[in-house]
Amino acid sequence: MKGKHLLVTGGAGSFGRAFAKHVLDGLDGPDRLTVLSRDERKHHEMEHELARHSDRLRFVIGDMRDALRVDEIVAGADIIVHAAAMKHVPSTEANPMECVRTNVEGARNLTLAALRHGIERVVALSTDKAVSPSTVYGASKLTMERLMMQANAPGQTQCSVVRYANVFASGGSVVPLFLSLRKTGVLPITDPEMTRFSISMQEGIELVLFALNEGRGGEIVVPIAPSYRVGDVAEAIAPEAEKKLIGARPGEKMHEAMFSLTEAPFVVRRGRYYIILPTSGGWSRERYCAETGAAPIDRLFDYESGSNDEWLSVETIREMVFQGGGNAV
C-alpha cells in the first residue's frame, strides 16, 4: 500500500481501528488513510490513539446511504476496505429497512462511486451469516456480496469479498457478556451445543490483507478457522455458575457455515484460506490453481461450524480469555 491513499469505511469500528493501526504502523503502510464513519466520538478517540500518524490520517463524517457524500469521499482514493455495516442481529431484525439501506444501498453507492472514479481495489467485509441466510443481516450481506461481484471490472476496479467468522471476545460475542455476568452466578445460554467459527482480530486483519495483496477480483476469501461450543465458553469462563437455557433468538442458527454445498464446486484451498471462485467469467479453476498453487477441495461439503475438524477446547478458551485479559485477539 506504500504510495497509496487507503479509504476504510466504517473505519472507527473495532475492525477499522485495529486495521488502521496495523497498516499505519507497518513499513509498507499507505501514504494517506481516510477513516469514514458516522461516529465523531470514536474519531476523536482514534485521533489520540494514532496521533503519531496524524500527518497521514484523515477523518470524515458520512453515511453510506448518502450517495453524493460517498462519491465525494471516494474521489481520490486508490484502495477501499469496506467495513461499514449495520450488523447487530436484534437491531437489524427490528429495523429491516434501515439494515437494507446501510448494507445494500450503501454497498451499491460505494461500488458505483468506485467504478466512476477508477478505484484500483475494493475489499468488502462479509460474514458467515451470508451463507443460506436466516436473518435480515445475513440476507443483506449476501446481497452486498453479489453487488461486489457484479461490480468487479478486470483492468479497472478489482472487487473482492472476505467472509468473517466471529471475532473471539469482540464486543458482540458471548465472551464479554459471560465475563460481566459470572459474578452473578448465572449465565444465560441459548443452547450449549450451539457452535460458531472463531478468528482473532489479527487473523481478520491478515484475511483482508491477503485479499488486497493476493486477490484477483470476483472471489470470496474464507478463513480456515476452529469452532467452539457456546457451552464450552460458559464452562471456561464460569464453571461454577448456573447455565440458564434461554433458547435461540429469531433466525439464530445452531451452526454457521462459511460456504455451502452449492458453492463447494467453486472452492479451492490456498494455504490458510478457502477461495470461492467466480461462477462465470473471470478465470477458470484450473487456471487459478496453476497460477497460484491452490488446489481444488477433494470432496464437496458444507464448511459448517458444527461439523468442523478443528475445535477450541475448554482449556484453550480459558487461556484465550484470561491470559488475554478478557480480550483474546
Side-chain angles (χ1 to χ4, degrees):
M1 282 184 279
K2 198 170 184 63
K4 303 294 185 181
H5 177 191
L6 170 65
L7 167 64
V8 183
T9 73
S14 56
F15 167 81
R17 293 170 82 151
F19 185 75
K21 180 180 184 302
H22 180 90
V23 298
L24 288 171
D25 284 344
L27 296 176
D28 298 318
D31 283 6
R32 296 176 62 200
L33 192 152
T34 296
V35 172
L36 164 63
S37 86
R38 298 185 294 180
D39 197 324
E40 58 183 311
R41 180 182 62 80
K42 289 182 180 176
H43 284 189
H44 179 69
E45 292 172 356
M46 284 185 73
E47 282 187 280
H48 284 279
E49 290 172 9
L50 300 173
R52 60 192 177 280
H53 299 297
S54 59
D55 59 326
R56 294 192 285 159
L57 194 55
R58 179 173 72 120
F59 296 92
V60 293
I61 299 292
D63 193 319
M64 297 305 302
R65 299 180 291 188
D66 184 341
L68 289 176
R69 182 59 172 153
V70 170
D71 190 81
E72 289 175 353
I73 295 166
V74 164
D78 299 304
I79 300 168
I80 300 173
V81 172
H82 178 45
M86 188 174 174
K87 61 189 69 169
H88 290 283
V89 171
S91 295
T92 57
E93 290 297 298
N95 304 277
M97 277 309 301
E98 294 302 303
C99 177
V100 169
R101 290 182 66 200
T102 297
N103 296 0
V104 179
E105 293 179 13
R108 184 171 188 269
N109 291 338
L110 182 73
T111 56
L112 290 175
L115 289 168
R116 188 179 300 117
H117 293 289
I119 303 303
E120 295 174 19
R121 293 192 176 206
V122 180
V123 171
L125 275 62
S126 187
T127 169
D128 49 10
K129 292 177 175 60
V131 181
S132 304
S134 59
T135 60
V136 175
Y137 171 58
S140 73
K141 281 296 193 176
L142 174 62
T143 308
M144 182 276 291
E145 291 183 357
R146 295 291 194 269
L147 288 169
M148 287 291 160
M149 299 303 95
Q150 185 182 55
N152 183 57
Q156 183 181 355
T157 297
Q158 180 177 298
C159 298
S160 302
V161 169
V162 298
R163 278 187 187 155
Y164 252 57
N166 285 22
V167 177
F168 194 83
S170 64
S173 75
V174 297
V175 172
L177 174 65
F178 288 172
L179 285 170
S180 68
L181 294 175
R182 62 181 176 144
K183 290 183 179 179
T184 69
V186 180
L187 297 186
I189 297 179
T190 51
D191 188 309
E193 295 302 313
M194 183 176 283
T195 67
R196 292 293 183 264
F197 288 104
S198 177
I199 61 173
S200 69
M201 182 62 77
Q202 182 60 34
E203 288 167 338
I205 291 170
E206 291 170 1
L207 173 66
V208 172
L209 290 173
F210 176 87
L212 283 172
N213 296 326
E214 302 293 335
R216 299 193 169 196
E219 75 275 72
I220 300 173
V221 185
V222 173
I224 297 173
S227 297
Y228 63 83
R229 295 178 183 85
V230 171
D232 288 346
V233 177
E235 180 66 20
I237 292 175
E240 304 301 323
E242 175 191 350
K243 310 321 190 274
K244 182 180 179 182
L245 299 183
I246 60 173
R249 297 175 296 188
E252 192 170 28
K253 297 179 183 179
M254 276 292 293
H255 312 290
E256 295 286 2
M258 282 290 205
F259 62 77
S260 67
L261 194 60
T262 304
E263 295 172 311
F266 307 99
V267 173
V268 299
R269 178 167 182 168
R270 187 176 174 190
R272 298 184 295 136
Y273 304 109
Y274 288 121
I275 314 292
I276 306 173
L277 302 179
T279 56
S280 61
W283 18 264
S284 67
R285 183 172 68 174
E286 290 72 21
R287 177 184 167 191
Y288 183 85
C289 291
E291 294 181 0
T292 65
I297 56 177
D298 55 10
R299 61 183 177 85
L300 301 185
F301 62 96
D302 288 289
Y303 185 33
E304 185 194 62
S305 59
S307 57
N308 199 1
D309 294 331
E310 185 180 355
W311 291 83
L312 297 178
S313 67
V314 172
E315 293 74 19
T316 299
I317 294 169
R318 185 174 291 124
E319 290 176 4
M320 291 171 68
V321 172
F322 294 109
Q323 289 187 7
N327 293 299
V329 293

